[in-house]
Amino acid sequence: MKNATFASFTELLGEIGRALAQALRQGSRTIATMAWPQLLVTCVALALVLTILPLALCLFIVFMAIKLAVAAIVINTRRRKE
């Protein structure tokens, strides 16, 4: 197994940057060739994903925390009764 060095880390970051730049160029070319109705549908779908997905994740975390708190309270009261 190779030892990680700063040079290999910077090389990895450079490769990630190049891959990201290539993906962005490809995406911009794809958007440039889209028809207006297709672009509108894509923008609406992207907006829905960017608003609904974080909301769903946040609500999941909140309800899971409530569930864990209620479970802890119930377990604590049952232990005290015994």
Side-chain angles (χ1 to χ4, degrees), residues 3-79:
N3 290 337
T5 62
F6 185 72
S8 65
F9 180 70
T10 56
E11 184 179 323
L12 176 65
L13 286 179
E15 187 177 334
I16 290 171
R18 284 188 297 275
L20 183 61
Q22 183 181 3
L24 288 174
R25 282 192 297 270
Q26 178 71 27
S28 65
R29 277 188 235 121
T30 303
I31 289 173
T33 59
M34 281 185 176
W36 283 104
Q38 187 180 11
L39 186 61
L40 178 66
V41 170
T42 303
C43 288
V44 170
L46 185 61
L48 287 174
V49 167
L50 289 177
T51 56
I52 291 175
L53 190 63
L55 177 64
L57 288 173
C58 185
L59 288 174
F60 173 75
I61 291 170
V62 167
F63 287 128
M64 187 60 69
I66 291 171
K67 179 182 175 182
L68 290 174
V70 169
I73 292 169
V74 169
I75 290 172
N76 193 18
T77 56
R78 286 185 181 174
R79 285 186 181 167

